[in-house]
Amino acid sequence: MNLNELTLKQAYEGLKEKKFSSVELTQACLKRIEERNKDINAFITVASEVALEQAKRADEMIASGQQKMLTGIPYSVKDAICVEDMRSTGSAKILDNYIAPYPATVIKKIQEQGGVILGKVNCDAFGHGASNENSMYGPVKNPHDLSKVAGGSSGGSAASVADHMCIYGIAEDTGGSIRFPASLCGVVGLRPSYGRNSRYGIMPMASSLDTVGPIAKTSEDIAIILEAMAGKDEKDGTTVDVPVPHYGEHLEEDISGLRVGVPKEYFEMAGMDEETRVLVEKKIQQFKELGCELVEVSLPYTKYAVPVYYILVPSEDSSNLGRLDGIRYGVREEADTLLGIYAQSRAKGFPEEVKRRIMIGTYALSAGYYDAYYRKAQKVRTLISQDFERVFREVDVLVTPTSPFPAFDLGEKSSDPLAMYLADIFVGPAAVAGIPGISLPAGNTTAGLPVGLQIMGKRMSEELLLRVGHQIQ
Ligand code: GLN
């Protein structure tokens, strides 16, 4: 096995036992990037020199007995997350030359453990999309089939992990961007509860939904990364001040007797791929073998999650993107008037989908329509949250497909925004309600494409989700 194919846990142990160095591990990842990135297009910026320097320092930490769980382990960072002194484009040309002056809090924490950053990875611009085709740096291809999408918006993150270009990735999930591409690429992705991890230094998309979390090969690896990332941050007032558990400690604890809810609405959707449904249902049967009880439940407001999401998110998007005007950050297009500079910079620097969201959001927030759209969507959002609260009085976790279909062809949905929005049907509800969800591999279709199982839980129930994920994987 090549070093770049190790799980995080295996890499940690290998480094500890001095079987290899962080420099060797990092070189193995860089070699893989060199070989494969031209086909997959996962990395926008490869930071070889920085990575090797950080690896050397990590080896010194290990030699002097200061190894932590993430010391010396190479990872990728979604390009919508700031890393100090590194280009951070958000996959939009308006930030083509933007060098972040400070790191996101979650990155700072990983770096304090001696993490090794390989570079910045592709995504849908500012996180807008489900296929990674809304990137101004080209789409990411699925490592399992280069004619298919990797999923989005964190397609570069999921593909870089699935293709063994890195050991794990740090990504962002506003409405499925971690879970959805993890499902399409056959890896594990966790959207933590809103407020579990600091959003400081993450390019804001929809501030009331944005979360940042890991993509890795196993739930055990996710537990290690989450423990390093999580916690209260005085720079993000929405982070919750509750202790961070040792997520990895209870992974083996018995889950028999657990009540596992199967929401019927998630299996009755029109347009659902048959093979996906069968694979997910088969995976769910495995819970019985572990002594869990399967309970059919109903979440009647599920069908409103996507419409609610696509009012709230463009509204908050449009307001957050106001700062990108060609004056304060990034690329400026010259024009005779100030208004001309704004208009030209935004016209050339944003892709279609970003412009569409700014228009929809500005409309939904305008004086005459605010009550009819934004406020109403917030009310329905409360009903969706209450659906979950009610069901979590009956069951401990919920299991569903992550995506209604496996990876689709490049170009198949890119000219149909509504079809693309509907891809979020199973990942949107947790996002709207602020609860955590994890996507795990549930098998492959006959064409060899991965299918994902989603497990959702109450707010701050990551420990349980990871334990269930670990045992079911
Ligand atoms: N598909 C969702 C969207 O386009 C994903 C967003 C996200 O989680 N960043 O809004």
Side-chain angles (χ1 to χ4, degrees), residues 4 36 40 79 81-82 98 124 126 151 204 221 242-244 264 271 283 339 359-360 377 416 442 456 458 463 466 468:
N4 53 307
R36 294 281 288 173
I40 301 212
D79 217 14
I81 300 175
C82 292
Y98 176 66
D124 286 296
F126 304 119
D221 287 359
V242 293
V244 177
K264 59 172 198 252
K283 190 78 185 163
L339 204 60
M359 285 195 287
I360 295 172
D416 185 353
M456 295 181 273
K458 287 184 203 145
E463 196 176 355
L466 291 166
V468 174

Side-chain angles (χ1 to χ4, degrees), residues 23-62:
V23 168
E24 286 165 329
L25 180 62
T26 304
Q27 278 164 342
C29 292
L30 289 170
K31 181 166 169 266
R32 182 75 181 168
I33 296 170
E34 171 82 38
E35 285 162 6
R36 294 281 288 173
N37 198 48
K38 53 186 182 308
D39 293 328
I40 301 212
N41 198 29
F43 279 81
I44 290 181
T45 302
V46 182
S48 318
E49 270 172 44
V50 175
L52 288 169
E53 210 175 284
Q54 291 180 349
K56 233 181 267 163
R57 235 179 298 139
D59 281 331
E60 284 160 19
M61 275 176 83
I62 297 167

Side-chain angles (χ1 to χ4, degrees), residues 419-431:
M420 195 69 88
Y421 295 170
L422 280 172
D424 298 347
I425 186 126
F426 301 147
V427 283

Side-chain angles (χ1 to χ4, degrees), residues 11-210:
Y12 164 80
E13 277 160 4
L15 288 169
K16 192 170 164 196
E17 290 156 20
K18 313 243 169 14
K19 286 192 183 145
F20 48 81
S21 66
S22 169
V23 168
E24 286 165 329
L25 180 62
T26 304
Q27 278 164 342
C29 292
L30 289 170
K31 181 166 169 266
R32 182 75 181 168
I33 296 170
E34 171 82 38
E35 285 162 6
R36 294 281 288 173
N37 198 48
K38 53 186 182 308
D39 293 328
I40 301 212
N41 198 29
F43 279 81
I44 290 181
T45 302
V46 182
S48 318
E49 270 172 44
V50 175
L52 288 169
E53 210 175 284
Q54 291 180 349
K56 233 181 267 163
R57 235 179 298 139
D59 281 331
E60 284 160 19
M61 275 176 83
I62 297 167
S64 62
Q66 296 173 65
Q67 185 186 13
K68 308 247 174 50
M69 291 310 291
L70 300 179
T71 310
I73 311 225
Y75 66 108
S76 69
V77 182
K78 182 174 183 173
D79 217 14
I81 300 175
C82 292
V83 175
E84 197 172 5
D85 299 331
M86 214 175 263
R87 185 161 80 127
S88 299
T89 69
S91 292
K93 293 279 177 176
I94 198 161
L95 292 181
D96 191 52
N97 60 1
Y98 176 66
I99 309 285
Y102 62 88
T105 298
V106 292
I107 300 299
K108 187 161 168 258
K109 287 182 163 186
I110 295 172
Q111 288 309 101
E112 280 164 2
Q113 287 206 13
V116 174
I117 299 183
L118 293 165
K120 305 296 296 294
V121 284
N122 208 339
C123 56
D124 286 296
F126 304 119
H128 303 170
S131 67
N132 212 131
E133 292 167 293
N134 295 331
S135 164
M136 292 178 97
Y137 297 85
V140 176
K141 316 251 175 75
N142 194 308
H144 297 269
D145 179 343
L146 297 179
S147 69
K148 308 276 180 196
V149 302
S153 67
S154 312
S157 307
S160 64
V161 176
D163 203 57
H164 305 293
M165 297 175 179
C166 56
I167 306 295
Y168 68 95
I170 298 298
E172 164 274 340
D173 187 311
T174 299
S177 282
I178 288 179
R179 292 161 289 156
F180 195 80
S183 169
L184 270 49
C185 290
V187 289
V188 186
L190 172 79
R191 170 199 170 86
S193 309
Y194 184 77
R196 175 72 284 186
N197 294 342
S198 169
R199 293 171 299 121
Y200 181 75
I202 317 297
M203 292 179 193
M205 181 179 157
S207 306
S208 75
L209 292 94
D210 295 344

